Amino acid sequence: MTHASDSARPADASLSETPSSAVDRLEKGYGRAGEATRSSDTLLINEQSRLLEAGGRRIFKFGFGQSPFPVFTPAVDALAKHAAEKAYLPVQGLPALREQVARFHSDIDHTRWDAERIIVGPGSKLLLFALMKSLPEADILIPAPSWVSYAPQARMAGQRAVRLDASFETRWQVTPEQLEAHCIENPERLKLLILNAPGNPTGLSPDVETQERLANVARRHGVLVLADEIYGLLHHRGEHRAFALDYPEGTVTTSGLSKWCGAGGWRLGVMHVPSELGQEVFARIVGMASETWSSVTSPIQYAAITAYTRTPDLDAYVQRQREVLSEIGQWCAARLNDAKVRTHAPNGGFYLFPDFEAHREALAARGITTSAELTARLLEDAGVALLPGSAFGCDPSQLTVRLAYVDFDGDALMKSEQATLEQATTTTLIKGMDAIVEWLNHGRCS
């Protein structure tokens, strides 16, 4: 059994220290800010891959999680139509867009989204930070592994980031028992639990029973939940279960266009804050928006109305992505498992979180004992760009990596009715997976 002392640990030990002087406070403050604001690992691997390619290396790009699919064509047409829009729009977002987002998610997720409680932001990333910053002193409970920006954002917001360590055996999910233990040990502190499903970096979602039990624990202890559901529409079977279904009164939900609509660079995210949480937090978030980003780009908001309007074409567009990602994800997981790299087949999105533990002895003989060393050597020796598990909050000695299986021609696959893996468009991805396995085999033979 995992003890609370093992499963709940500060993401930054210095956050709990008591400085003895003003100088100490200043120096420690600079140190924390430096860590919190260092460049994102996901963005760094993208730039590093580009530099290596510019130098003539062939790189299999499994590091950066960008949708390989084209933006929904009617939304692109709408963007062109509204390109001349130049007015500052309301801070909270274009009313017509908020109404459409409310209809869309109420229909898709079977939960109530109120247009008056929706905030439109320049991507969901800033909305996540705005929520953390708008809370009084709180514990931000972050699963490990989880997306690279949650903990730095918590520190930048002046909050205490607490890791809840997950494992392969729990399918990289936080358990209700872990949440219960932390709440019992810290009864006085406000808590915000971040849940991302299907998850980045794992591609996994909790089963219904686990989610219901998590919701019950959260409700019993007054824990707020931030449900980051940016990959929700890309659940491979279309079976994403919104956390707000199980805990509507305490769940803040975020989503956006970057993943399911292939529009990461458009930078449009949405957040829904339930009315049960009152007006204070909501007003603070809107206030932060008014003093920072002011409003999201006008043409993008007008185009997003089209993106959030359900039509047979939009449903077919999303469904084809699910089919492609499911087939490729299942194949990649099976390829790794055959090579004795433990990998859960994904529920959604386009990530895998392989565990190389079975190869620890052979890797140690090659001087590899951490996830960062593992990914550095795979990039250097095999030209495969991955991210280490340590970037996602895991113990550095844990031999886990994130693999984003997006190195294929999504545009070609969207236009084809053939089976995905039979097409030449996936050759690069298949060769990249082969490169990982061959590199491991070379290690056993050397």
Side-chain angles (χ1 to χ4, degrees):
M1 179 179 292
T2 303
H3 297 287
S5 59
D6 296 325
S7 62
R9 55 186 170 87
D12 181 350
S14 68
L15 291 177
S16 60
E17 295 176 5
T18 304
S20 58
S21 68
V23 172
D24 286 341
R25 280 197 299 273
L26 185 61
E27 290 177 347
K28 287 180 182 293
Y30 280 135
R32 287 196 298 273
E35 179 180 355
T37 55
R38 66 186 178 87
S39 296
S40 164
D41 291 282
T42 52
L43 297 178
L44 280 173
I45 193 65
N46 194 41
E47 292 303 314
Q48 188 175 13
S49 298
R50 286 176 179 173
L51 288 172
L52 289 170
E53 283 187 314
R57 288 286 307 276
R58 178 174 186 178
I59 303 299
F60 299 104
K61 291 173 283 189
F62 297 155
F64 189 59
Q66 178 170 293
S67 170
F69 300 106
V71 181
F72 184 51
T73 299
V76 175
D77 295 340
L79 180 61
K81 177 181 177 182
H82 291 283
E85 296 286 352
K86 66 172 188 174
Y88 285 97
L89 296 180
V91 172
Q92 194 177 332
L94 186 65
L97 173 58
R98 289 189 285 110
E99 290 285 352
Q100 196 58 49
V101 169
R103 282 191 288 269
F104 183 85
H105 278 289
S106 296
D107 183 25
I108 291 283
D109 296 330
H110 310 295
T111 59
R112 183 173 179 269
W113 281 53
D114 180 353
E116 294 305 312
R117 302 287 292 188
I118 290 173
I119 304 169
V120 180
S124 60
K125 195 171 186 177
L126 267 177
L127 291 168
L128 297 170
F129 175 74
L131 173 63
M132 294 186 209
K133 188 67 176 175
S134 298
L135 297 175
E137 186 174 322
D139 284 352
I140 309 299
L141 308 183
I142 304 170
S146 67
W147 183 48
V148 298
S149 290
Y150 294 141
Q153 284 196 351
R155 291 190 289 267
M156 291 170 66
Q159 307 289 20
R160 185 172 78 162
V162 178
R163 298 286 190 185
L164 300 178
D165 293 323
S167 67
F168 183 89
E169 288 70 25
T170 64
R171 298 182 71 254
W172 306 116
Q173 304 295 309
V174 168
T175 67
E177 291 76 16
Q178 285 177 293
L179 180 59
E180 183 90 49
H182 179 80
C183 291
I184 290 172
E185 287 189 354
N186 302 270
E188 302 303 322
R189 292 182 64 85
L190 175 66
K191 301 165 192 68
L192 175 70
L193 172 65
I194 300 180
L195 294 176
N196 174 215
N200 175 6
T202 66
L204 302 175
S205 298
D207 59 67
V208 173
E209 189 264 344
T210 298
Q211 180 161 306
E212 290 175 341
R213 290 174 59 219
L214 273 170
N216 288 336
V217 173
R219 180 178 291 110
R220 189 162 60 249
H221 291 281
V223 177
L224 300 180
V225 173
L226 172 55
D228 179 356
E229 300 185 352
I230 195 76
Y231 297 93
L233 265 73
L234 292 184
H235 189 289
H236 295 165
R237 294 188 301 275
E239 297 174 358
H240 170 66
R241 182 176 180 86
F243 201 84
L245 274 174
D246 299 305
Y247 187 31
E249 71 274 22
T251 301
V252 176
T253 305
T254 58
S255 188
L257 295 181
S258 61
K259 308 305 178 183
W260 66 267
C261 198
W266 285 25
R267 308 311 304 139
L268 186 136
V270 295
M271 170 181 279
H272 181 254
V273 183
S275 58
E276 290 88 342
L277 295 185
Q279 188 61 25
E280 180 63 25
V281 170
F282 185 80
R284 288 184 183 181
I285 296 171
V286 175
M288 280 193 63
S290 71
E291 300 296 350
T292 53
W293 65 79
S294 297
S295 63
V296 174
T297 308
S298 301
I300 296 293
Q301 290 202 55
Y302 282 101
I305 295 174
T306 297
Y308 277 105
T309 301
R310 285 195 73 182
T311 63
D313 284 347
L314 180 65
D315 287 348
Y317 165 81
V318 172
Q319 180 58 27
R320 180 56 179 160
Q321 291 182 75
R322 292 169 177 165
E323 293 167 355
V324 170
L325 292 172
S326 177
E327 185 175 349
I328 292 178
Q330 296 291 321
W331 181 87
C332 288
R335 184 82 171 95
L336 290 166
N337 280 308
D338 287 345
K340 296 183 172 56
V341 179
R342 296 193 306 174
T343 309
H344 289 291
N347 298 125
F350 34 71
Y351 301 113
L352 299 175
F353 199 65
D355 182 356
F356 288 73
E357 179 62 32
H359 297 274
R360 180 173 292 278
E361 185 175 341
L363 291 171
R366 301 163 75 174
I368 300 168
T369 60
T370 68
S371 60
E373 291 168 349
L374 173 59
T375 54
R377 285 290 296 278
L378 272 165
L379 183 58
E380 178 183 350
D381 297 346
V384 178
L386 300 162
L387 282 174
S390 56
F392 301 92
C394 294
D395 189 305
S397 65
Q398 186 186 88
L399 296 175
T400 50
V401 304
R402 189 194 75 174
L403 189 156
Y405 53 93
V406 295
D407 198 351
F408 60 87
D409 187 342
D411 187 45
L413 289 178
M414 287 293 288
K415 296 173 181 176
S416 173
E417 296 181 359
Q418 290 180 276
T420 298
L421 292 170
E422 294 177 359
Q423 297 184 67
T425 51
T426 57
T427 297
T428 300
L429 184 140
I430 291 172
K431 287 184 176 179
M433 296 299 298
D434 289 344
I436 296 172
V437 174
E438 289 166 8
W439 180 82
L440 282 172
N441 289 336
H442 173 75
R444 286 198 294 271
C445 295
S446 60

